[in-house]
Amino acid sequence: GESVGLHLPTLSVQEGDNSIINCAYSNSASDYFIWYKQESGKGPQFIIDIRSNMDKRQGQRVTVLLNKTVKHLSLQIAATQPGDSAVYFCAETEEYGNKLVFGAGTILRVKS
Amino acid sequence: EAGVTQSPTHLIKTRGQQATLRCSPISGHTSVYWYQQALGLGLQFLLWYDEGEERNRGNFPPRFSGRQFPNYSSELNVNALELEDSALYLCASSPGIRRESEQYFGPGTRLTVT
């Protein structure tokens, strides 16, 4: 499989601050992107998705931004809470049911 | 609505043995995906089944195989286990080809090879 690093980047934020998690993707043919949250001992949980015909999508407290020019994806979490502490993965796929290619993941630690 | 379920939760095997992992997708989903998550690494795509057929395969040796049953549940088989096969194996399901691509994950099976 694709190689990813052994050491995940870590983002530490104060409770109540906004968090921005970044992801660079590799396949210019990818047209569907998803952010997942994975808590310790659990499977990844869907947060928000975006299709390539959009550059921004908002959910509840979360916003995903897509910049296709530089193949960059970001997840913004507003008013970060302790329950947001987890590993966050971006994933890309070509349309309709193909395999997801996951980024390496970012650890988000929320300090109270 | 029940989510994706996987069994067993934990599995301990010795080198050279075979392991069988099981997955039940969300009701109505026809696609099942398998991923390997080794410690300290990201999720690596293993296999994708839809309507009983293997649709795509990741960069893993042939001793990783599987199948999908008529009820859309799936098995992942790992033969001739090696120590580096120790990982969390995640199953995901989605509505199927030409439908939404969002994949819903199960809790995983922790495979330990000693």
Side-chain angles (χ1 to χ4, degrees), chain A residues 1-2 4-6 32 36 38 43-44 46 89 95-100 102, chain B residues 33 35 37 40-42 44-45 48 56 59 98-99 101-103 105-106:
Chain A
E2 292 89 353
V4 293
L6 287 174
Y32 181 61
Y36 284 94
Q38 188 174 23
F46 172 88
F89 293 96
E95 189 56 88
Y96 296 130
N98 210 332
K99 66 177 183 178
L100 286 173
F102 283 82
Chain B
Y33 308 79
Y35 294 86
Q37 188 174 31
L41 299 178
Q44 309 289 327
F45 169 76
W48 169 33
N56 203 346
N59 188 22
R98 291 181 291 281
R99 297 184 62 187
S101 299
E102 181 182 329
Q103 296 179 21
F105 283 81

PDB file of all heavy atoms in Angstrom, chain A residues 1-2 4-6 32 36 38 43-44 46 89 95-100 102, chain B residues 33 35 37 40-42 44-45 48 56 59 98-99 101-103 105-106:
ATOM      1  N   GLY A   1       0.808  -1.202   0.000  1.00  0.00           N
ATOM      2  CA  GLY A   1       0.000   0.000   0.000  1.00  0.00           C
ATOM      3  C   GLY A   1       0.838   1.246   0.000  1.00  0.00           C
ATOM      4  O   GLY A   1       2.046   1.206   0.108  1.00  0.00           O
ATOM      5  N   GLU A   2       0.173   2.378  -0.125  1.00  0.00           N
ATOM      6  CA  GLU A   2       0.908   3.638  -0.111  1.00  0.00           C
ATOM      7  C   GLU A   2       1.610   3.806   1.229  1.00  0.00           C
ATOM      8  O   GLU A   2       1.084   3.465   2.275  1.00  0.00           O
ATOM      9  CB  GLU A   2      -0.067   4.812  -0.328  1.00  0.00           C
ATOM     10  CG  GLU A   2      -0.671   4.846  -1.714  1.00  0.00           C
ATOM     11  CD  GLU A   2      -1.956   4.037  -1.792  1.00  0.00           C
ATOM     12  OE1 GLU A   2      -2.304   3.352  -0.804  1.00  0.00           O
ATOM     13  OE2 GLU A   2      -2.596   4.066  -2.831  1.00  0.00           O
ATOM     14  N   VAL A   4       2.991   5.777   4.387  1.00  0.00           N
ATOM     15  CA  VAL A   4       2.750   6.979   5.176  1.00  0.00           C
ATOM     16  C   VAL A   4       3.700   6.959   6.355  1.00  0.00           C
ATOM     17  O   VAL A   4       4.259   5.936   6.697  1.00  0.00           O
ATOM     18  CB  VAL A   4       1.287   7.057   5.666  1.00  0.00           C
ATOM     19  CG1 VAL A   4       0.357   7.240   4.495  1.00  0.00           C
ATOM     20  CG2 VAL A   4       0.920   5.827   6.458  1.00  0.00           C
ATOM     21  N   GLY A   5       3.882   8.098   6.981  1.00  0.00           N
ATOM     22  CA  GLY A   5       4.883   8.223   8.021  1.00  0.00           C
ATOM     23  C   GLY A   5       4.490   7.551   9.307  1.00  0.00           C
ATOM     24  O   GLY A   5       3.330   7.305   9.585  1.00  0.00           O
ATOM     25  N   LEU A   6       5.502   7.213  10.120  1.00  0.00           N
ATOM     26  CA  LEU A   6       5.263   6.608  11.413  1.00  0.00           C
ATOM     27  C   LEU A   6       4.854   7.643  12.441  1.00  0.00           C
ATOM     28  O   LEU A   6       4.258   7.319  13.450  1.00  0.00           O
ATOM     29  CB  LEU A   6       6.515   5.875  11.879  1.00  0.00           C
ATOM     30  CG  LEU A   6       6.837   4.564  11.160  1.00  0.00           C
ATOM     31  CD1 LEU A   6       8.164   4.023  11.609  1.00  0.00           C
ATOM     32  CD2 LEU A   6       5.746   3.543  11.390  1.00  0.00           C
ATOM     33  N   TYR A  32     -13.845  13.328  -5.177  1.00  0.00           N
ATOM     34  CA  TYR A  32     -14.673  13.255  -3.985  1.00  0.00           C
ATOM     35  C   TYR A  32     -13.734  13.125  -2.791  1.00  0.00           C
ATOM     36  O   TYR A  32     -12.811  12.306  -2.811  1.00  0.00           O
ATOM     37  CB  TYR A  32     -15.620  12.055  -4.076  1.00  0.00           C
ATOM     38  CG  TYR A  32     -16.550  11.879  -2.909  1.00  0.00           C
ATOM     39  CD1 TYR A  32     -17.482  12.849  -2.571  1.00  0.00           C
ATOM     40  CD2 TYR A  32     -16.505  10.719  -2.145  1.00  0.00           C
ATOM     41  CE1 TYR A  32     -18.341  12.676  -1.505  1.00  0.00           C
ATOM     42  CE2 TYR A  32     -17.363  10.533  -1.082  1.00  0.00           C
ATOM     43  CZ  TYR A  32     -18.283  11.515  -0.766  1.00  0.00           C
ATOM     44  OH  TYR A  32     -19.138  11.341   0.290  1.00  0.00           O
ATOM     45  N   TYR A  36     -12.478  12.173   7.964  1.00  0.00           N
ATOM     46  CA  TYR A  36     -12.890  11.214   8.982  1.00  0.00           C
ATOM     47  C   TYR A  36     -12.216  11.555  10.306  1.00  0.00           C
ATOM     48  O   TYR A  36     -11.099  12.058  10.336  1.00  0.00           O
ATOM     49  CB  TYR A  36     -12.492   9.787   8.605  1.00  0.00           C
ATOM     50  CG  TYR A  36     -13.348   9.138   7.552  1.00  0.00           C
ATOM     51  CD1 TYR A  36     -12.984   9.187   6.213  1.00  0.00           C
ATOM     52  CD2 TYR A  36     -14.513   8.471   7.891  1.00  0.00           C
ATOM     53  CE1 TYR A  36     -13.763   8.578   5.232  1.00  0.00           C
ATOM     54  CE2 TYR A  36     -15.295   7.854   6.926  1.00  0.00           C
ATOM     55  CZ  TYR A  36     -14.906   7.912   5.600  1.00  0.00           C
ATOM     56  OH  TYR A  36     -15.682   7.309   4.650  1.00  0.00           O
ATOM     57  N   GLN A  38     -11.107   9.665  13.909  1.00  0.00           N
ATOM     58  CA  GLN A  38     -10.942   8.356  14.519  1.00  0.00           C
ATOM     59  C   GLN A  38     -10.499   8.511  15.966  1.00  0.00           C
ATOM     60  O   GLN A  38      -9.406   9.000  16.237  1.00  0.00           O
ATOM     61  CB  GLN A  38      -9.938   7.496  13.755  1.00  0.00           C
ATOM     62  CG  GLN A  38      -9.881   6.060  14.262  1.00  0.00           C
ATOM     63  CD  GLN A  38      -8.993   5.161  13.428  1.00  0.00           C
ATOM     64  OE1 GLN A  38      -8.091   5.619  12.735  1.00  0.00           O
ATOM     65  NE2 GLN A  38      -9.252   3.856  13.471  1.00  0.00           N
ATOM     66  N   GLY A  43     -13.460   2.731  14.884  1.00  0.00           N
ATOM     67  CA  GLY A  43     -13.286   2.924  13.458  1.00  0.00           C
ATOM     68  C   GLY A  43     -13.466   4.382  13.090  1.00  0.00           C
ATOM     69  O   GLY A  43     -13.999   5.177  13.861  1.00  0.00           O
ATOM     70  N   PRO A  44     -13.009   4.781  11.905  1.00  0.00           N
ATOM     71  CA  PRO A  44     -13.169   6.170  11.455  1.00  0.00           C
ATOM     72  C   PRO A  44     -14.642   6.552  11.354  1.00  0.00           C
ATOM     73  O   PRO A  44     -15.474   5.751  10.939  1.00  0.00           O
ATOM     74  CB  PRO A  44     -12.505   6.165  10.073  1.00  0.00           C
ATOM     75  CG  PRO A  44     -11.575   5.002  10.093  1.00  0.00           C
ATOM     76  CD  PRO A  44     -12.240   3.976  10.940  1.00  0.00           C
ATOM     77  N   PHE A  46     -17.340   9.385   9.827  1.00  0.00           N
ATOM     78  CA  PHE A  46     -17.522  10.421   8.812  1.00  0.00           C
ATOM     79  C   PHE A  46     -17.788  11.777   9.471  1.00  0.00           C
ATOM     80  O   PHE A  46     -18.583  11.887  10.395  1.00  0.00           O
ATOM     81  CB  PHE A  46     -18.696  10.037   7.916  1.00  0.00           C
ATOM     82  CG  PHE A  46     -19.107  11.100   6.942  1.00  0.00           C
ATOM     83  CD1 PHE A  46     -18.522  11.182   5.700  1.00  0.00           C
ATOM     84  CD2 PHE A  46     -20.102  12.014   7.267  1.00  0.00           C
ATOM     85  CE1 PHE A  46     -18.906  12.152   4.793  1.00  0.00           C
ATOM     86  CE2 PHE A  46     -20.499  12.986   6.374  1.00  0.00           C
ATOM     87  CZ  PHE A  46     -19.901  13.053   5.128  1.00  0.00           C
ATOM     88  N   PHE A  89      -8.346  12.113   9.528  1.00  0.00           N
ATOM     89  CA  PHE A  89      -7.832  11.666   8.233  1.00  0.00           C
ATOM     90  C   PHE A  89      -8.623  12.329   7.111  1.00  0.00           C
ATOM     91  O   PHE A  89      -9.847  12.389   7.156  1.00  0.00           O
ATOM     92  CB  PHE A  89      -8.010  10.155   8.070  1.00  0.00           C
ATOM     93  CG  PHE A  89      -7.175   9.322   8.993  1.00  0.00           C
ATOM     94  CD1 PHE A  89      -7.716   8.845  10.176  1.00  0.00           C
ATOM     95  CD2 PHE A  89      -5.873   8.994   8.665  1.00  0.00           C
ATOM     96  CE1 PHE A  89      -6.955   8.064  11.027  1.00  0.00           C
ATOM     97  CE2 PHE A  89      -5.107   8.206   9.513  1.00  0.00           C
ATOM     98  CZ  PHE A  89      -5.653   7.746  10.699  1.00  0.00           C
ATOM     99  N   GLU A  95     -14.892   9.106  -8.401  1.00  0.00           N
ATOM    100  CA  GLU A  95     -16.322   9.040  -8.116  1.00  0.00           C
ATOM    101  C   GLU A  95     -16.862   7.625  -8.024  1.00  0.00           C
ATOM    102  O   GLU A  95     -16.384   6.697  -8.644  1.00  0.00           O
ATOM    103  CB  GLU A  95     -17.062   9.825  -9.207  1.00  0.00           C
ATOM    104  CG  GLU A  95     -18.539  10.033  -8.956  1.00  0.00           C
ATOM    105  CD  GLU A  95     -18.843  10.721  -7.632  1.00  0.00           C
ATOM    106  OE1 GLU A  95     -18.875  11.960  -7.593  1.00  0.00           O
ATOM    107  OE2 GLU A  95     -19.056  10.004  -6.632  1.00  0.00           O
ATOM    108  N   TYR A  96     -17.833   7.467  -7.205  1.00  0.00           N
ATOM    109  CA  TYR A  96     -18.658   6.282  -7.135  1.00  0.00           C
ATOM    110  C   TYR A  96     -17.970   4.990  -6.727  1.00  0.00           C
ATOM    111  O   TYR A  96     -17.623   4.153  -7.543  1.00  0.00           O
ATOM    112  CB  TYR A  96     -19.407   6.074  -8.448  1.00  0.00           C
ATOM    113  CG  TYR A  96     -20.375   7.188  -8.730  1.00  0.00           C
ATOM    114  CD1 TYR A  96     -20.397   7.831  -9.945  1.00  0.00           C
ATOM    115  CD2 TYR A  96     -21.254   7.608  -7.747  1.00  0.00           C
ATOM    116  CE1 TYR A  96     -21.298   8.862 -10.186  1.00  0.00           C
ATOM    117  CE2 TYR A  96     -22.145   8.635  -7.974  1.00  0.00           C
ATOM    118  CZ  TYR A  96     -22.169   9.258  -9.206  1.00  0.00           C
ATOM    119  OH  TYR A  96     -23.045  10.272  -9.437  1.00  0.00           O
ATOM    120  N   GLY A  97     -17.855   4.868  -5.417  1.00  0.00           N
ATOM    121  CA  GLY A  97     -17.571   3.559  -4.856  1.00  0.00           C
ATOM    122  C   GLY A  97     -16.199   3.015  -5.101  1.00  0.00           C
ATOM    123  O   GLY A  97     -15.992   1.812  -4.944  1.00  0.00           O
ATOM    124  N   ASN A  98     -15.244   3.823  -5.469  1.00  0.00           N
ATOM    125  CA  ASN A  98     -13.896   3.320  -5.646  1.00  0.00           C
ATOM    126  C   ASN A  98     -13.183   3.337  -4.299  1.00  0.00           C
ATOM    127  O   ASN A  98     -13.699   3.805  -3.311  1.00  0.00           O
ATOM    128  CB  ASN A  98     -13.155   4.171  -6.660  1.00  0.00           C
ATOM    129  CG  ASN A  98     -12.116   3.375  -7.417  1.00  0.00           C
ATOM    130  OD1 ASN A  98     -11.579   2.397  -6.909  1.00  0.00           O
ATOM    131  ND2 ASN A  98     -11.837   3.776  -8.626  1.00  0.00           N
ATOM    132  N   LYS A  99     -11.968   2.829  -4.246  1.00  0.00           N
ATOM    133  CA  LYS A  99     -11.238   2.778  -2.990  1.00  0.00           C
ATOM    134  C   LYS A  99     -10.959   4.193  -2.506  1.00  0.00           C
ATOM    135  O   LYS A  99     -10.759   5.119  -3.275  1.00  0.00           O
ATOM    136  CB  LYS A  99      -9.931   2.026  -3.168  1.00  0.00           C
ATOM    137  CG  LYS A  99      -8.942   2.729  -4.091  1.00  0.00           C
ATOM    138  CD  LYS A  99      -7.635   1.993  -4.174  1.00  0.00           C
ATOM    139  CE  LYS A  99      -6.643   2.746  -5.037  1.00  0.00           C
ATOM    140  NZ  LYS A  99      -5.334   2.061  -5.101  1.00  0.00           N
ATOM    141  N   LEU A 100     -10.928   4.332  -1.204  1.00  0.00           N
ATOM    142  CA  LEU A 100     -10.505   5.579  -0.586  1.00  0.00           C
ATOM    143  C   LEU A 100      -8.997   5.527  -0.377  1.00  0.00           C
ATOM    144  O   LEU A 100      -8.465   4.521   0.066  1.00  0.00           O
ATOM    145  CB  LEU A 100     -11.190   5.782   0.768  1.00  0.00           C
ATOM    146  CG  LEU A 100     -12.669   6.171   0.756  1.00  0.00           C
ATOM    147  CD1 LEU A 100     -13.214   6.158   2.175  1.00  0.00           C
ATOM    148  CD2 LEU A 100     -12.865   7.534   0.125  1.00  0.00           C
ATOM    149  N   PHE A 102      -6.273   7.284   1.853  1.00  0.00           N
ATOM    150  CA  PHE A 102      -6.235   8.092   3.068  1.00  0.00           C
ATOM    151  C   PHE A 102      -4.911   8.831   3.198  1.00  0.00           C
ATOM    152  O   PHE A 102      -3.848   8.313   2.840  1.00  0.00           O
ATOM    153  CB  PHE A 102      -6.415   7.207   4.303  1.00  0.00           C
ATOM    154  CG  PHE A 102      -7.836   6.790   4.536  1.00  0.00           C
ATOM    155  CD1 PHE A 102      -8.393   5.725   3.856  1.00  0.00           C
ATOM    156  CD2 PHE A 102      -8.619   7.479   5.444  1.00  0.00           C
ATOM    157  CE1 PHE A 102      -9.708   5.341   4.077  1.00  0.00           C
ATOM    158  CE2 PHE A 102      -9.928   7.112   5.673  1.00  0.00           C
ATOM    159  CZ  PHE A 102     -10.480   6.045   4.981  1.00  0.00           C
TER     160      PHE A 102
ATOM    161  N   TYR B  33     -15.778  -2.725   1.820  1.00  0.00           N
ATOM    162  CA  TYR B  33     -14.365  -2.413   1.646  1.00  0.00           C
ATOM    163  C   TYR B  33     -13.601  -2.934   2.867  1.00  0.00           C
ATOM    164  O   TYR B  33     -14.107  -2.873   3.997  1.00  0.00           O
ATOM    165  CB  TYR B  33     -14.146  -0.901   1.558  1.00  0.00           C
ATOM    166  CG  TYR B  33     -14.997  -0.201   0.534  1.00  0.00           C
ATOM    167  CD1 TYR B  33     -16.328   0.100   0.808  1.00  0.00           C
ATOM    168  CD2 TYR B  33     -14.467   0.193  -0.693  1.00  0.00           C
ATOM    169  CE1 TYR B  33     -17.120   0.752  -0.126  1.00  0.00           C
ATOM    170  CE2 TYR B  33     -15.253   0.854  -1.622  1.00  0.00           C
ATOM    171  CZ  TYR B  33     -16.577   1.131  -1.335  1.00  0.00           C
ATOM    172  OH  TYR B  33     -17.354   1.771  -2.260  1.00  0.00           O
ATOM    173  N   TYR B  35      -9.845  -2.448   4.899  1.00  0.00           N
ATOM    174  CA  TYR B  35      -8.650  -1.631   5.060  1.00  0.00           C
ATOM    175  C   TYR B  35      -7.809  -2.213   6.186  1.00  0.00           C
ATOM    176  O   TYR B  35      -8.324  -2.775   7.153  1.00  0.00           O
ATOM    177  CB  TYR B  35      -8.997  -0.181   5.417  1.00  0.00           C
ATOM    178  CG  TYR B  35      -9.725   0.574   4.342  1.00  0.00           C
ATOM    179  CD1 TYR B  35     -11.120   0.500   4.227  1.00  0.00           C
ATOM    180  CD2 TYR B  35      -9.035   1.375   3.425  1.00  0.00           C
ATOM    181  CE1 TYR B  35     -11.795   1.195   3.231  1.00  0.00           C
ATOM    182  CE2 TYR B  35      -9.706   2.073   2.437  1.00  0.00           C
ATOM    183  CZ  TYR B  35     -11.071   1.976   2.347  1.00  0.00           C
ATOM    184  OH  TYR B  35     -11.730   2.672   1.363  1.00  0.00           O
ATOM    185  N   GLN B  37      -5.018  -1.106   9.070  1.00  0.00           N
ATOM    186  CA  GLN B  37      -4.426   0.028   9.775  1.00  0.00           C
ATOM    187  C   GLN B  37      -3.389  -0.514  10.748  1.00  0.00           C
ATOM    188  O   GLN B  37      -3.713  -0.946  11.849  1.00  0.00           O
ATOM    189  CB  GLN B  37      -5.478   0.857  10.513  1.00  0.00           C
ATOM    190  CG  GLN B  37      -4.920   2.138  11.099  1.00  0.00           C
ATOM    191  CD  GLN B  37      -5.996   3.026  11.717  1.00  0.00           C
ATOM    192  OE1 GLN B  37      -6.998   2.537  12.232  1.00  0.00           O
ATOM    193  NE2 GLN B  37      -5.814   4.335  11.661  1.00  0.00           N
ATOM    194  N   GLY B  40       0.722   3.070  13.940  1.00  0.00           N
ATOM    195  CA  GLY B  40       1.534   4.190  13.494  1.00  0.00           C
ATOM    196  C   GLY B  40       1.416   4.514  12.027  1.00  0.00           C
ATOM    197  O   GLY B  40       2.051   5.458  11.560  1.00  0.00           O
ATOM    198  N   LEU B  41       0.598   3.770  11.316  1.00  0.00           N
ATOM    199  CA  LEU B  41       0.428   4.013   9.883  1.00  0.00           C
ATOM    200  C   LEU B  41      -1.019   4.397   9.601  1.00  0.00           C
ATOM    201  O   LEU B  41      -1.901   4.198  10.409  1.00  0.00           O
ATOM    202  CB  LEU B  41       0.812   2.774   9.081  1.00  0.00           C
ATOM    203  CG  LEU B  41       2.251   2.293   9.202  1.00  0.00           C
ATOM    204  CD1 LEU B  41       2.466   1.027   8.382  1.00  0.00           C
ATOM    205  CD2 LEU B  41       3.228   3.374   8.778  1.00  0.00           C
ATOM    206  N   GLY B  42      -1.231   4.914   8.439  1.00  0.00           N
ATOM    207  CA  GLY B  42      -2.585   5.262   8.023  1.00  0.00           C
ATOM    208  C   GLY B  42      -3.339   4.043   7.546  1.00  0.00           C
ATOM    209  O   GLY B  42      -2.878   2.917   7.644  1.00  0.00           O
ATOM    210  N   GLN B  44      -4.683   1.564   4.890  1.00  0.00           N
ATOM    211  CA  GLN B  44      -4.279   1.075   3.575  1.00  0.00           C
ATOM    212  C   GLN B  44      -5.415   0.243   2.985  1.00  0.00           C
ATOM    213  O   GLN B  44      -5.877  -0.712   3.612  1.00  0.00           O
ATOM    214  CB  GLN B  44      -3.019   0.213   3.684  1.00  0.00           C
ATOM    215  CG  GLN B  44      -1.871   0.863   4.443  1.00  0.00           C
ATOM    216  CD  GLN B  44      -1.250   1.997   3.674  1.00  0.00           C
ATOM    217  OE1 GLN B  44      -1.188   1.960   2.453  1.00  0.00           O
ATOM    218  NE2 GLN B  44      -0.802   3.010   4.385  1.00  0.00           N
ATOM    219  N   PHE B  45      -5.814   0.594   1.780  1.00  0.00           N
ATOM    220  CA  PHE B  45      -6.901  -0.118   1.116  1.00  0.00           C
ATOM    221  C   PHE B  45      -6.483  -1.542   0.775  1.00  0.00           C
ATOM    222  O   PHE B  45      -5.419  -1.770   0.198  1.00  0.00           O
ATOM    223  CB  PHE B  45      -7.295   0.636  -0.145  1.00  0.00           C
ATOM    224  CG  PHE B  45      -8.210  -0.118  -1.057  1.00  0.00           C
ATOM    225  CD1 PHE B  45      -9.549  -0.263  -0.755  1.00  0.00           C
ATOM    226  CD2 PHE B  45      -7.730  -0.687  -2.225  1.00  0.00           C
ATOM    227  CE1 PHE B  45     -10.398  -0.951  -1.603  1.00  0.00           C
ATOM    228  CE2 PHE B  45      -8.561  -1.378  -3.072  1.00  0.00           C
ATOM    229  CZ  PHE B  45      -9.896  -1.519  -2.767  1.00  0.00           C
ATOM    230  N   TRP B  48     -12.170  -4.353  -2.285  1.00  0.00           N
ATOM    231  CA  TRP B  48     -13.508  -3.787  -2.444  1.00  0.00           C
ATOM    232  C   TRP B  48     -14.376  -4.815  -3.134  1.00  0.00           C
ATOM    233  O   TRP B  48     -14.026  -5.332  -4.187  1.00  0.00           O
ATOM    234  CB  TRP B  48     -13.447  -2.492  -3.260  1.00  0.00           C
ATOM    235  CG  TRP B  48     -14.762  -1.961  -3.711  1.00  0.00           C
ATOM    236  CD1 TRP B  48     -15.965  -2.039  -3.064  1.00  0.00           C
ATOM    237  CD2 TRP B  48     -15.023  -1.257  -4.925  1.00  0.00           C
ATOM    238  NE1 TRP B  48     -16.953  -1.425  -3.795  1.00  0.00           N
ATOM    239  CE2 TRP B  48     -16.402  -0.922  -4.937  1.00  0.00           C
ATOM    240  CE3 TRP B  48     -14.223  -0.854  -5.991  1.00  0.00           C
ATOM    241  CZ2 TRP B  48     -16.991  -0.226  -5.987  1.00  0.00           C
ATOM    242  CZ3 TRP B  48     -14.812  -0.153  -7.026  1.00  0.00           C
ATOM    243  CH2 TRP B  48     -16.182   0.149  -7.025  1.00  0.00           C
ATOM    244  N   ASN B  56     -11.928  -4.121  -6.819  1.00  0.00           N
ATOM    245  CA  ASN B  56     -10.623  -3.468  -6.794  1.00  0.00           C
ATOM    246  C   ASN B  56      -9.805  -4.103  -5.678  1.00  0.00           C
ATOM    247  O   ASN B  56     -10.357  -4.661  -4.717  1.00  0.00           O
ATOM    248  CB  ASN B  56     -10.765  -1.957  -6.571  1.00  0.00           C
ATOM    249  CG  ASN B  56      -9.563  -1.172  -7.065  1.00  0.00           C
ATOM    250  OD1 ASN B  56      -8.511  -1.737  -7.342  1.00  0.00           O
ATOM    251  ND2 ASN B  56      -9.710   0.139  -7.172  1.00  0.00           N
ATOM    252  N   ASN B  59      -2.479  -2.925  -2.896  1.00  0.00           N
ATOM    253  CA  ASN B  59      -1.155  -3.493  -3.116  1.00  0.00           C
ATOM    254  C   ASN B  59      -0.781  -4.439  -1.972  1.00  0.00           C
ATOM    255  O   ASN B  59       0.105  -4.134  -1.161  1.00  0.00           O
ATOM    256  CB  ASN B  59      -0.141  -2.360  -3.249  1.00  0.00           C
ATOM    257  CG  ASN B  59       1.226  -2.856  -3.668  1.00  0.00           C
ATOM    258  OD1 ASN B  59       1.342  -3.933  -4.243  1.00  0.00           O
ATOM    259  ND2 ASN B  59       2.244  -2.083  -3.363  1.00  0.00           N
ATOM    260  N   ARG B  98     -22.058   3.557  -8.513  1.00  0.00           N
ATOM    261  CA  ARG B  98     -22.910   4.565  -9.116  1.00  0.00           C
ATOM    262  C   ARG B  98     -23.896   5.166  -8.118  1.00  0.00           C
ATOM    263  O   ARG B  98     -24.903   5.724  -8.463  1.00  0.00           O
ATOM    264  CB  ARG B  98     -23.666   4.025 -10.339  1.00  0.00           C
ATOM    265  CG  ARG B  98     -22.731   3.750 -11.516  1.00  0.00           C
ATOM    266  CD  ARG B  98     -23.527   3.243 -12.706  1.00  0.00           C
ATOM    267  NE  ARG B  98     -24.065   1.913 -12.459  1.00  0.00           N
ATOM    268  CZ  ARG B  98     -23.351   0.804 -12.552  1.00  0.00           C
ATOM    269  NH1 ARG B  98     -22.086   0.864 -12.864  1.00  0.00           N
ATOM    270  NH2 ARG B  98     -23.905  -0.371 -12.321  1.00  0.00           N
ATOM    271  N   ARG B  99     -23.550   5.044  -6.859  1.00  0.00           N
ATOM    272  CA  ARG B  99     -24.307   5.731  -5.819  1.00  0.00           C
ATOM    273  C   ARG B  99     -23.320   6.465  -4.929  1.00  0.00           C
ATOM    274  O   ARG B  99     -22.135   6.488  -5.198  1.00  0.00           O
ATOM    275  CB  ARG B  99     -25.154   4.725  -5.037  1.00  0.00           C
ATOM    276  CG  ARG B  99     -26.196   4.030  -5.900  1.00  0.00           C
ATOM    277  CD  ARG B  99     -27.077   3.126  -5.074  1.00  0.00           C
ATOM    278  NE  ARG B  99     -27.814   3.882  -4.072  1.00  0.00           N
ATOM    279  CZ  ARG B  99     -28.552   3.297  -3.135  1.00  0.00           C
ATOM    280  NH1 ARG B  99     -28.621   1.988  -3.049  1.00  0.00           N
ATOM    281  NH2 ARG B  99     -29.204   4.016  -2.254  1.00  0.00           N
ATOM    282  N   SER B 101     -20.574   7.772  -2.560  1.00  0.00           N
ATOM    283  CA  SER B 101     -19.321   7.094  -2.246  1.00  0.00           C
ATOM    284  C   SER B 101     -18.995   7.072  -0.765  1.00  0.00           C
ATOM    285  O   SER B 101     -18.040   6.435  -0.376  1.00  0.00           O
ATOM    286  CB  SER B 101     -18.170   7.793  -2.976  1.00  0.00           C
ATOM    287  OG  SER B 101     -18.367   7.743  -4.366  1.00  0.00           O
ATOM    288  N   GLU B 102     -19.786   7.768   0.040  1.00  0.00           N
ATOM    289  CA  GLU B 102     -19.466   7.836   1.465  1.00  0.00           C
ATOM    290  C   GLU B 102     -19.410   6.442   2.059  1.00  0.00           C
ATOM    291  O   GLU B 102     -20.326   5.635   1.876  1.00  0.00           O
ATOM    292  CB  GLU B 102     -20.520   8.660   2.195  1.00  0.00           C
ATOM    293  CG  GLU B 102     -20.266   8.801   3.685  1.00  0.00           C
ATOM    294  CD  GLU B 102     -21.370   9.583   4.359  1.00  0.00           C
ATOM    295  OE1 GLU B 102     -21.951  10.463   3.714  1.00  0.00           O
ATOM    296  OE2 GLU B 102     -21.659   9.294   5.528  1.00  0.00           O
ATOM    297  N   GLN B 103     -18.322   6.163   2.749  1.00  0.00           N
ATOM    298  CA  GLN B 103     -18.122   4.863   3.348  1.00  0.00           C
ATOM    299  C   GLN B 103     -18.284   4.946   4.860  1.00  0.00           C
ATOM    300  O   GLN B 103     -17.740   5.844   5.495  1.00  0.00           O
ATOM    301  CB  GLN B 103     -16.735   4.327   2.991  1.00  0.00           C
ATOM    302  CG  GLN B 103     -16.569   4.071   1.502  1.00  0.00           C
ATOM    303  CD  GLN B 103     -15.205   3.558   1.125  1.00  0.00           C
ATOM    304  OE1 GLN B 103     -14.463   3.018   1.949  1.00  0.00           O
ATOM    305  NE2 GLN B 103     -14.856   3.697  -0.140  1.00  0.00           N
ATOM    306  N   PHE B 105     -17.689   3.082   8.453  1.00  0.00           N
ATOM    307  CA  PHE B 105     -16.753   2.107   8.994  1.00  0.00           C
ATOM    308  C   PHE B 105     -17.303   1.368  10.207  1.00  0.00           C
ATOM    309  O   PHE B 105     -18.066   1.927  11.009  1.00  0.00           O
ATOM    310  CB  PHE B 105     -15.452   2.794   9.398  1.00  0.00           C
ATOM    311  CG  PHE B 105     -14.567   3.125   8.236  1.00  0.00           C
ATOM    312  CD1 PHE B 105     -14.791   4.257   7.480  1.00  0.00           C
ATOM    313  CD2 PHE B 105     -13.524   2.281   7.884  1.00  0.00           C
ATOM    314  CE1 PHE B 105     -13.985   4.558   6.383  1.00  0.00           C
ATOM    315  CE2 PHE B 105     -12.709   2.572   6.802  1.00  0.00           C
ATOM    316  CZ  PHE B 105     -12.942   3.706   6.054  1.00  0.00           C
ATOM    317  N   GLY B 106     -16.876   0.128  10.337  1.00  0.00           N
ATOM    318  CA  GLY B 106     -17.122  -0.642  11.540  1.00  0.00           C
ATOM    319  C   GLY B 106     -16.048  -0.370  12.566  1.00  0.00           C
ATOM    320  O   GLY B 106     -15.108   0.394  12.314  1.00  0.00           O
TER     321      GLY B 106
END
